Coordinates of all heavy atoms in Angstrom, one line a residue:
M42 N 57.7 164.6 46.9 CA 59.0 165.1 47.2 C 60.0 164.6 46.2 O 60.0 163.4 45.8 CB 59.5 164.7 48.6 CG 60.9 165.0 48.9 SD 61.5 164.6 50.6 CE 61.0 163.0 50.8
S43 N 60.8 165.5 45.6 CA 61.8 165.1 44.6 C 63.1 164.6 45.3 O 63.4 165.0 46.5 CB 62.1 166.2 43.7 OG 62.7 167.3 44.4
R44 N 63.8 163.8 44.7 CA 65.0 163.2 45.2 C 66.2 163.9 44.5 O 66.1 164.5 43.4 CB 65.2 161.7 44.9 CG 64.1 160.9 45.5 CD 64.4 159.5 45.0 NE 63.5 158.6 45.7 CZ 63.3 157.3 45.3 NH1 63.9 156.9 44.3 NH2 62.5 156.6 46.0
S45 N 67.4 163.9 45.2 CA 68.5 164.4 44.5 C 68.9 163.4 43.3 O 68.4 162.3 43.3 CB 69.7 164.5 45.4 OG 70.2 163.2 45.8
A46 N 69.6 163.9 42.4 CA 70.0 163.1 41.2 C 70.7 161.8 41.6 O 70.4 160.7 41.1 CB 70.8 163.9 40.2
S47 N 71.7 161.9 42.5 CA 72.4 160.7 42.9 C 71.5 159.7 43.6 O 71.7 158.5 43.5 CB 73.6 161.1 43.8 OG 73.2 161.8 44.9
T48 N 70.6 160.2 44.4 CA 69.7 159.3 45.1 C 68.7 158.6 44.1 O 68.5 157.4 44.2 CB 68.8 160.1 46.2 OG1 69.7 160.7 47.1 CG2 67.9 159.1 46.9
S49 N 68.3 159.3 43.1 CA 67.4 158.7 42.1 C 68.1 157.7 41.4 O 67.6 156.6 41.1 CB 66.9 159.8 41.2 OG 66.1 160.7 41.8
V50 N 69.4 157.9 41.0 CA 70.2 156.9 40.3 C 70.4 155.7 41.1 O 70.2 154.6 40.7 CB 71.5 157.5 39.8 CG1 72.4 156.4 39.3 CG2 71.3 158.6 38.7
A51 N 70.7 155.9 42.4 CA 71.0 154.8 43.3 C 69.7 154.0 43.5 O 69.7 152.7 43.5 CB 71.5 155.3 44.6
A52 N 68.6 154.7 43.7 CA 67.3 154.0 43.9 C 66.9 153.2 42.7 O 66.2 152.1 42.8 CB 66.2 155.0 44.3
S53 N 67.2 153.6 41.5 CA 66.8 152.9 40.3 C 67.5 151.6 40.1 O 67.1 150.8 39.3 CB 67.1 153.8 39.1 OG 68.4 153.9 38.8
T54 N 68.6 151.4 40.9 CA 69.3 150.1 40.8 C 68.8 149.1 41.8 O 69.3 147.9 41.7 CB 70.8 150.3 41.0 OG1 71.0 150.8 42.4 CG2 71.4 151.3 40.0
I55 N 67.9 149.4 42.7 CA 67.4 148.5 43.6 C 66.5 147.5 42.9 O 65.6 147.9 42.1 CB 66.6 149.2 44.7 CG1 67.5 150.1 45.5 CG2 65.9 148.2 45.7 CD1 66.8 151.1 46.5
P56 N 66.7 146.2 43.1 CA 65.9 145.2 42.4 C 64.4 145.4 42.8 O 64.0 145.7 43.9 CB 66.4 143.8 42.9 CG 67.7 144.1 43.4 CD 67.7 145.6 43.9
S57 N 63.5 145.1 41.8 CA 62.1 145.2 42.0 C 61.4 144.2 41.1 O 61.8 144.0 40.0 CB 61.6 146.7 41.6 OG 60.2 146.7 41.5
A58 N 60.3 143.6 41.7 CA 59.6 142.6 40.9 C 58.9 143.3 39.7 O 58.8 142.7 38.6 CB 58.5 142.0 41.7
A59 N 58.5 144.6 39.8 CA 57.9 145.3 38.7 C 58.9 145.6 37.6 O 58.5 145.7 36.4 CB 57.3 146.6 39.2
R60 N 60.2 145.7 38.0 CA 61.2 146.0 37.0 C 62.0 144.8 36.6 O 63.1 144.9 36.0 CB 62.1 147.1 37.5 CG 61.5 148.4 37.7 CD 62.5 149.5 38.0 NE 63.3 149.1 39.2 CZ 63.6 149.9 40.2 NH1 63.3 151.1 40.1 NH2 64.3 149.4 41.2
R61 N 61.6 143.7 36.9 CA 62.4 142.4 36.7 C 62.8 142.2 35.3 O 63.9 141.8 35.0 CB 61.6 141.2 37.2 CG 62.3 139.9 37.0 CD 61.6 138.8 37.7 NE 61.9 139.0 39.1 CZ 61.4 138.2 40.1 NH1 60.5 137.3 39.8 NH2 61.7 138.4 41.3
K62 N 62.0 142.6 34.3 CA 62.3 142.3 32.9 C 63.0 143.5 32.2 O 63.3 143.5 31.1 CB 61.1 141.9 32.2 CG 60.6 140.5 32.7 CD 59.5 140.0 31.9 CE 59.1 138.7 32.6 NZ 58.4 137.8 31.8
Q63 N 63.2 144.6 33.0 CA 63.9 145.8 32.4 C 65.4 145.5 32.3 O 66.0 144.9 33.2 CB 63.7 147.0 33.2 CG 62.3 147.7 33.1 CD 62.3 149.0 33.9 OE1 62.9 149.1 34.9 NE2 61.5 149.9 33.4
A64 N 66.0 145.9 31.2 CA 67.4 145.8 31.1 C 68.1 146.9 31.9 O 67.6 148.0 32.1 CB 67.8 146.0 29.6
F65 N 69.3 146.5 32.4 CA 70.1 147.4 33.2 C 70.6 148.5 32.4 O 71.1 148.3 31.3 CB 71.3 146.7 33.9 CG 72.2 147.6 34.6 CD1 71.9 148.2 35.7 CD2 73.5 147.8 34.0 CE1 72.8 149.0 36.4 CE2 74.4 148.7 34.7 CZ 74.0 149.3 35.8
K66 N 70.4 149.8 32.8 CA 70.8 150.9 32.0 C 71.8 151.7 32.9 O 71.4 152.4 33.8 CB 69.6 151.8 31.7 CG 70.0 153.0 30.9 CD 68.7 153.8 30.5 CE 69.1 155.0 29.7 NZ 68.0 155.9 29.5
P67 N 73.1 151.5 32.6 CA 74.1 152.2 33.4 C 74.1 153.7 33.2 O 73.7 154.2 32.1 CB 75.4 151.6 32.9 CG 75.2 151.1 31.6 CD 73.7 150.7 31.5
L68 N 74.5 154.4 34.2 CA 74.6 155.9 34.1 C 75.8 156.2 33.2 O 76.8 155.7 33.3 CB 74.8 156.5 35.5 CG 74.8 158.0 35.7 CD1 73.5 158.5 35.2 CD2 75.1 158.3 37.1
G69 N 75.5 157.1 32.3 CA 76.6 157.5 31.3 C 77.6 158.4 31.9 O 77.5 158.8 33.1
G70 N 78.7 158.7 31.2 CA 79.7 159.6 31.6 C 80.8 158.8 32.4 O 80.7 157.6 32.6
E71 N 81.9 159.5 32.7 CA 83.0 159.0 33.4 C 83.0 159.4 34.8 O 82.5 160.5 35.1 CB 84.3 159.4 32.7 CG 84.4 158.9 31.3 CD 85.8 158.7 30.8 OE1 86.7 158.7 31.7 OE2 86.0 158.5 29.6
L72 N 83.5 158.5 35.7 CA 83.6 158.9 37.1 C 84.7 160.0 37.2 O 85.7 160.0 36.5 CB 84.1 157.7 37.9 CG 83.1 156.6 38.0 CD1 83.8 155.4 38.8 CD2 81.9 157.0 38.8
P73 N 84.4 161.1 38.0 CA 85.4 162.1 38.2 C 86.6 161.7 39.0 O 86.5 160.8 39.8 CB 84.6 163.2 38.9 CG 83.5 162.5 39.6 CD 83.2 161.3 38.8
S74 N 87.7 162.2 38.7 CA 88.9 161.9 39.4 C 88.9 162.5 40.8 O 88.6 163.7 40.9 CB 90.1 162.5 38.6 OG 91.3 162.4 39.5
P75 N 89.1 161.7 41.8 CA 89.2 162.2 43.2 C 90.4 163.2 43.4 O 90.4 164.0 44.2 CB 89.3 161.0 44.1 CG 89.8 159.9 43.2 CD 89.3 160.3 41.8
L76 N 91.4 163.0 42.5 CA 92.6 163.9 42.6 C 92.3 165.2 41.9 O 93.0 166.2 42.2 CB 93.8 163.2 42.0 CG 94.2 161.9 42.6 CD1 95.3 161.3 41.9 CD2 94.5 162.1 44.1
A77 N 91.5 165.3 40.9 CA 91.2 166.5 40.2 C 89.7 166.5 39.9 O 89.2 166.4 38.7 CB 92.0 166.6 38.9
P78 N 88.8 166.7 40.9 CA 87.4 166.7 40.7 C 87.0 167.9 39.8 O 87.7 168.9 39.8 CB 86.8 166.8 42.1 CG 87.9 167.4 42.9 CD 89.2 167.0 42.3
P79 N 85.9 167.8 39.1 CA 85.4 168.9 38.3 C 84.9 170.0 39.1 O 84.6 169.8 40.3 CB 84.2 168.3 37.5 CG 83.7 167.2 38.4 CD 84.9 166.6 39.1
P80 N 84.9 171.2 38.6 CA 84.4 172.4 39.3 C 82.9 172.2 39.6 O 82.2 171.4 38.9 CB 84.6 173.6 38.4 CG 84.7 173.0 37.1 CD 85.3 171.6 37.2
G81 N 82.4 172.8 40.6 CA 80.9 172.7 40.9 C 80.6 171.4 41.6 O 81.4 170.8 42.3
C82 N 79.5 170.9 41.3 CA 79.0 169.6 41.8 C 79.9 168.5 41.2 O 79.9 168.4 40.0 CB 77.6 169.4 41.5 SG 76.9 167.8 42.1
P83 N 80.4 167.6 42.0 CA 81.3 166.5 41.5 C 80.5 165.5 40.7 O 81.0 164.8 39.9 CB 81.9 165.9 42.7 CG 81.1 166.3 43.9 CD 80.4 167.6 43.5
F84 N 79.1 165.5 40.8 CA 78.3 164.6 40.2 C 77.8 165.1 38.8 O 77.2 164.4 38.0 CB 77.1 164.2 41.1 CG 76.3 163.0 40.6 CD1 76.9 161.7 40.6 CD2 75.0 163.1 40.3 CE1 76.2 160.6 40.2 CE2 74.3 162.0 39.9 CZ 74.9 160.7 39.8
H85 N 77.9 166.4 38.5 CA 77.3 167.0 37.4 C 77.7 166.4 36.0 O 76.8 166.3 35.1 CB 77.5 168.5 37.3 CG 78.8 169.0 36.7 ND1 79.9 169.3 37.4 CD2 79.1 169.2 35.4 CE1 80.8 169.7 36.5 NE2 80.4 169.6 35.3
P86 N 78.9 165.9 35.8 CA 79.2 165.3 34.5 C 78.3 164.0 34.2 O 78.1 163.7 33.0 CB 80.6 164.9 34.6 CG 81.2 165.8 35.6 CD 80.1 165.9 36.6
R87 N 77.8 163.4 35.2 CA 77.0 162.2 35.0 C 75.5 162.3 35.4 O 74.7 161.4 35.2 CB 77.6 161.0 35.9 CG 79.0 160.8 35.6 CD 79.6 159.7 36.5 NE 79.0 158.4 35.9 CZ 78.9 157.3 36.6 NH1 79.2 157.3 37.9 NH2 78.4 156.2 36.1
C88 N 75.1 163.5 35.8 CA 73.8 163.8 36.2 C 72.8 164.1 35.1 O 73.1 165.1 34.3 CB 73.7 164.9 37.2 SG 72.1 165.3 37.8
P89 N 71.8 163.4 34.9 CA 70.8 163.7 33.8 C 70.0 164.9 34.0 O 69.4 165.4 33.1 CB 69.9 162.4 33.8 CG 70.0 161.8 35.1 CD 71.4 162.2 35.6
Q90 N 70.0 165.5 35.3 CA 69.3 166.7 35.6 C 70.2 167.9 35.9 O 69.7 168.9 36.4 CB 68.4 166.4 36.8 CG 67.4 165.3 36.5 CD 66.6 164.9 37.7 OE1 66.7 165.5 38.8 NE2 65.7 163.9 37.6
A91 N 71.4 167.8 35.5 CA 72.4 168.9 35.8 C 71.9 170.2 35.1 O 71.4 170.2 34.0 CB 73.8 168.5 35.3
M92 N 72.1 171.3 35.9 CA 71.8 172.6 35.4 C 73.1 173.4 35.3 O 74.2 172.9 35.7 CB 70.9 173.3 36.4 CG 69.6 172.6 36.7 SD 68.6 173.3 38.0 CE 69.6 172.8 39.5
A93 N 73.0 174.6 34.7 CA 74.3 175.4 34.6 C 74.9 175.7 35.9 O 76.2 175.6 36.0 CB 73.9 176.7 33.9
V94 N 74.2 175.9 36.9 CA 74.8 176.2 38.3 C 75.6 175.0 38.8 O 76.5 175.2 39.5 CB 73.7 176.6 39.3 CG1 72.7 175.5 39.6 CG2 74.3 177.2 40.5
C95 N 75.2 173.8 38.4 CA 75.9 172.6 38.8 C 77.3 172.6 38.3 O 78.2 172.0 39.0 CB 75.2 171.3 38.3 SG 73.5 171.2 38.9
R96 N 77.6 173.1 37.2 CA 79.0 173.1 36.6 C 79.8 174.2 37.3 O 81.0 174.2 37.0 CB 78.9 173.3 35.1 CG 78.3 172.1 34.4 CD 78.3 172.3 32.9 NE 77.1 173.0 32.4 CZ 75.9 172.4 32.3 NH1 75.7 171.2 32.8 NH2 74.8 173.0 31.8
E97 N 79.2 175.1 38.0 CA 80.0 176.3 38.6 C 80.1 176.3 40.1 O 81.2 176.6 40.6 CB 79.3 177.6 38.1 CG 79.3 177.7 36.6 CD 78.3 178.8 36.2 OE1 77.9 179.6 37.0 OE2 78.1 178.9 35.0
I98 N 79.1 175.9 40.8 CA 79.1 176.0 42.2 C 78.8 174.7 42.9 O 77.8 174.0 42.5 CB 78.0 177.0 42.7 CG1 78.3 178.4 42.0 CG2 78.0 177.1 44.2 CD1 77.2 179.4 42.2
R99 N 79.6 174.3 43.9 CA 79.4 173.1 44.6 C 78.2 173.3 45.5 O 78.1 174.3 46.2 CB 80.6 172.7 45.5 CG 80.5 171.4 46.1 CD 81.7 171.1 47.0 NE 81.7 169.7 47.3 CZ 82.5 168.8 46.8 NH1 83.3 169.1 45.8 NH2 82.4 167.5 47.1
P100 N 77.2 172.4 45.4 CA 75.9 172.6 46.2 C 76.2 172.4 47.7 O 76.9 171.5 48.1 CB 75.0 171.6 45.7 CG 75.8 170.5 45.1 CD 77.1 171.2 44.6
P101 N 75.5 173.2 48.6 CA 75.7 173.0 50.0 C 74.8 171.8 50.5 O 73.8 171.5 49.8 CB 75.2 174.3 50.6 CG 74.2 174.8 49.6 CD 74.7 174.4 48.2
L102 N 75.2 171.2 51.6 CA 74.4 170.2 52.2 C 73.2 170.9 52.8 O 73.4 171.8 53.7 CB 75.2 169.4 53.2 CG 74.5 168.2 53.8 CD1 74.2 167.1 52.7 CD2 75.4 167.5 54.8
A103 N 72.0 170.5 52.5 CA 70.8 171.1 53.0 C 69.8 170.1 53.4 O 69.7 169.0 52.8 CB 70.2 172.1 52.0
E104 N 69.1 170.4 54.5 CA 68.0 169.4 54.9 C 66.8 169.6 53.9 O 66.3 170.7 53.7 CB 67.6 169.8 56.3 CG 66.6 168.7 56.9 CD 66.3 168.9 58.3 OE1 66.1 170.1 58.8 OE2 66.2 167.9 59.1
I105 N 66.4 168.5 53.3 CA 65.3 168.5 52.4 C 64.0 168.0 52.9 O 63.0 168.1 52.4 CB 65.7 167.7 51.1 CG1 66.1 166.3 51.4 CG2 66.9 168.4 50.4 CD1 66.2 165.4 50.2
A106 N 64.2 167.3 54.1 CA 63.0 166.8 54.8 C 63.5 166.5 56.2 O 64.8 166.4 56.4 CB 62.5 165.5 54.2
P107 N 62.7 166.3 57.2 CA 63.2 166.1 58.5 C 64.1 164.8 58.6 O 63.7 163.7 58.1 CB 61.9 165.8 59.3 CG 60.8 166.6 58.6 CD 61.2 166.5 57.2
G108 N 65.3 165.0 58.9 CA 66.3 163.9 59.0 C 66.9 163.5 57.7 O 67.6 162.5 57.6
R109 N 66.6 164.2 56.6 CA 67.1 163.9 55.3 C 67.9 165.1 54.7 O 67.3 166.2 54.7 CB 66.0 163.4 54.4 CG 65.3 162.2 54.8 CD 64.3 161.8 53.9 NE 64.9 161.2 52.7 CZ 64.3 160.9 51.6 NH1 63.0 161.0 51.5 NH2 64.9 160.4 50.6
S110 N 69.1 164.9 54.3 CA 69.9 166.0 53.7 C 70.4 165.6 52.3 O 70.6 164.4 52.0 CB 71.1 166.3 54.6 OG 70.6 166.7 55.9
A111 N 70.6 166.6 51.5 CA 71.2 166.3 50.2 C 72.0 167.5 49.8 O 71.7 168.7 50.2 CB 70.1 166.1 49.2
A112 N 73.1 167.3 49.0 CA 73.9 168.4 48.5 C 73.6 168.4 47.0 O 74.2 167.7 46.2 CB 75.4 168.1 48.7
C113 N 72.5 169.1 46.6 CA 72.0 169.1 45.2 C 71.3 170.4 44.9 O 70.4 170.8 45.7 CB 71.1 167.9 45.0 SG 70.5 167.7 43.3
H114 N 71.7 171.0 43.8 CA 71.1 172.2 43.4 C 69.6 172.1 43.1 O 68.9 173.1 43.0 CB 71.8 172.9 42.3 CG 73.1 173.4 42.6 ND1 73.3 174.4 43.6 CD2 74.4 173.1 42.2 CE1 74.6 174.7 43.7 NE2 75.2 173.9 42.9
L115 N 69.2 170.9 42.8 CA 67.7 170.6 42.5 C 66.9 171.1 43.7 O 65.7 171.4 43.5 CB 67.5 169.2 42.2 CG 68.0 168.7 40.8 CD1 67.8 167.2 40.7 CD2 67.3 169.4 39.7
H116 N 67.5 171.1 44.9 CA 66.7 171.5 46.1 C 67.0 172.9 46.5 O 66.3 173.4 47.4 CB 67.1 170.5 47.2 CG 66.8 169.1 46.9 ND1 65.5 168.6 46.8 CD2 67.6 168.1 46.7 CE1 65.5 167.3 46.5 NE2 66.8 167.0 46.4
T117 N 68.0 173.5 46.0 CA 68.4 174.9 46.5 C 68.4 176.0 45.4 O 68.3 177.1 45.8 CB 69.8 174.8 47.1 OG1 70.7 174.4 46.1 CG2 69.8 173.9 48.3
A118 N 68.5 175.6 44.2 CA 68.7 176.7 43.1 C 67.3 177.3 42.8 O 66.3 176.6 42.7 CB 69.3 176.1 41.8
P119 N 67.3 178.6 42.6 CA 66.0 179.3 42.2 C 65.4 178.7 41.0 O 64.2 178.6 40.8 CB 66.4 180.7 42.1 CG 67.7 180.9 42.7 CD 68.4 179.6 42.7
E120 N 66.3 178.3 40.0 CA 65.7 177.8 38.7 C 65.1 176.4 38.9 O 64.5 175.9 38.0 CB 66.8 177.8 37.6 CG 68.0 177.0 38.0 CD 69.2 177.3 37.2 OE1 69.8 178.4 37.2 OE2 69.6 176.4 36.4
A121 N 65.4 175.8 40.0 CA 64.8 174.4 40.3 C 63.4 174.5 40.7 O 62.7 173.5 40.7 CB 65.7 173.7 41.3
A122 N 63.0 175.7 41.2 CA 61.6 175.8 41.7 C 60.6 175.8 40.7 O 60.8 176.0 39.5 CB 61.5 177.1 42.6

């Protein structure tokens, strides 16, 4: 099962013995302004997996597994399949 981009980024920051010697790699880009968020998905400027649809349409919250929801075009866009 694939994760949404924001979940993948968050999960990559969890400490792990296997990743103990890896250097911290911050997510690039700037945080969007809450007063003037970008069009489409508010996470698209910083998402390494952003698609064209992410810049235009805000993704709907959708159930991706029983009891798990995500608002990410990776789970809903036809081009993501």
Side-chain angles (χ1 to χ4, degrees):
M42 171 174 52
S43 65
R44 296 177 175 167
S45 71
S47 59
T48 301
S49 295
V50 170
S53 71
T54 63
I55 298 171
S57 164
R60 293 188 305 222
R61 181 170 282 175
K62 296 188 184 204
Q63 280 185 331
F65 173 71
K66 183 178 177 185
L68 186 61
E71 297 208 13
L72 292 174
S74 166
L76 300 176
C82 176
F84 194 64
H85 87 263
R87 303 182 74 205
C88 178
Q90 299 173 2
M92 302 174 286
V94 68
C95 302
R96 291 182 271 287
E97 300 167 9
I98 301 170
R99 187 179 193 103
L102 185 63
E104 186 172 44
I105 58 170
R109 297 182 71 185
S110 298
C113 183
H114 289 298
L115 289 173
H116 300 290
T117 59
E120 59 196 68

